[in-house]
Amino acid sequence: MLRSISRMPVGNIQLQSVRTVMTSQPCRDRARSTAFGAIRSTGGSKDAMDIENLEEFQFDDSATPGYDNLEALREVRKYLRITKYELPKLKAHVKPFQPPSKTQILRFRTSTYIGESNHPAAPKVVLTVDTKSLPLTDVELHKFLLLVGSRYDPVKEQIKMSCEKFQDRSQNFKWLSDTVDKLINEAKKEPEAMSDMPLDLRHAARHMKPKVRFPKEWNRPVKSA
């Protein structure tokens, strides 16, 4: 479209202004492009967005929602091309799976939002660890559970913590790891002093209710055919 403008007998100043407007705000429908054509042909200084300068839509072109759908299709095809041509290149970097060792007890979970590099929830890191894998005795584990409070899930026997204090995800990883180390060190300091203190499990009371099952003796007898 810029190539056709360069052939029009208009002045350099008017040509530069039309190019600037079209670059900063590209037209999406025929009515808006017709207004730009009117400016090019007359060489006037009319407002391109003035409704009085727009011709009547003849239903011979797609409207703005149609061009929005085309833009969405281009976005989908972009990722389909990446899937077909770029992802197979990752086979050269494949490594065999190695299960975590006994010392690697921390599990981290993050979320990546495709197409949103600055999503507010992207830096968040969630940590889970099994209480049985912690290097603590029964008395020390009891104090550790008292310290973590409602972050303890008695049904799954896991500790769940999250951090989104920092914009960099690696800093949230480090903060969670350091916090677990501090809790373990604190749990090993005079654990007998808190051994008689009961755990507060009210946050998990609804998950700890026993399931009521229908007694088999109450079933109706099956009539033999």
Side-chain angles (χ1 to χ4, degrees):
M1 189 173 292
L2 291 179
R3 187 179 302 171
S4 62
I5 293 176
S6 61
R7 297 177 183 176
M8 293 292 178
V10 294
N12 295 332
I13 299 177
Q14 182 64 22
L15 178 60
Q16 184 177 0
S17 61
V18 172
R19 286 179 175 177
T20 304
V21 172
M22 296 187 66
T23 305
S24 60
Q25 188 173 2
C27 56
R28 287 179 173 267
D29 51 20
R30 182 179 180 276
R32 192 179 301 176
S33 61
T34 305
F36 283 114
I39 294 178
R40 295 197 298 269
S41 60
T42 58
S45 59
K46 298 180 180 180
D47 186 6
M49 302 304 297
D50 191 353
I51 193 172
E52 295 180 356
N53 300 328
L54 302 179
E55 294 183 359
E56 184 179 358
F57 185 63
Q58 302 297 329
F59 300 95
D60 55 350
D61 194 5
S62 179
T64 300
Y67 283 102
D68 292 339
N69 292 335
L70 291 177
E71 190 68 24
L73 289 176
R74 294 190 186 98
E75 186 76 11
V76 173
R77 290 182 177 181
K78 170 187 174 182
Y79 289 107
L80 289 177
R81 286 192 295 268
I82 294 176
T83 303
K84 183 176 181 180
Y85 299 107
E86 299 296 332
L87 291 184
K89 298 179 182 179
L90 299 177
K91 292 183 179 179
H93 305 281
V94 174
K95 296 181 180 180
F97 173 73
Q98 295 181 356
S101 61
K102 294 182 179 180
T103 58
Q104 299 173 341
I105 61 176
L106 304 181
R107 294 189 297 271
F108 298 93
R109 178 175 60 84
T110 58
S111 300
T112 301
Y113 300 86
I114 299 177
E116 301 184 42
S117 58
N118 296 325
H119 195 278
K124 182 178 180 180
V125 180
V126 180
L127 177 145
T128 55
V129 56
D130 295 333
T131 55
K132 296 180 180 180
S133 60
L134 293 173
L136 299 172
T137 62
D138 294 341
V139 181
E140 294 172 348
L141 179 61
H142 182 77
K143 182 179 179 180
F144 181 87
L145 298 179
L146 289 173
L147 294 174
V148 297
S150 61
R151 297 171 181 84
Y152 171 56
D153 187 354
V155 179
K156 299 181 180 179
E157 296 184 351
Q158 289 182 349
I159 305 297
K160 184 176 181 181
M161 303 170 58
S162 63
C163 179
E164 50 184 337
K165 298 175 59 177
F166 308 99
Q167 292 296 327
D168 192 353
R169 184 181 293 178
S170 59
Q171 291 179 295
N172 294 325
F173 273 101
K174 179 63 174 175
W175 187 90
L176 289 172
S177 178
D178 293 345
T179 302
V180 173
D181 293 338
K182 292 179 182 178
L183 289 172
I184 292 176
N185 294 333
E186 187 66 25
K188 292 183 178 181
K189 297 179 181 178
E190 299 181 358
E192 294 80 6
M194 304 178 67
S195 59
D196 57 344
M197 185 178 298
L199 293 176
D200 186 4
L201 302 178
R202 288 177 293 179
H203 61 280
R206 60 174 182 172
H207 300 291
M208 298 175 61
K209 292 182 179 180
K211 295 182 180 180
V212 179
R213 300 185 180 275
F214 192 80
K216 296 182 180 180
E217 294 79 8
W218 293 5
N219 294 336
R220 290 183 179 181
V222 179
K223 297 182 180 180
S224 59

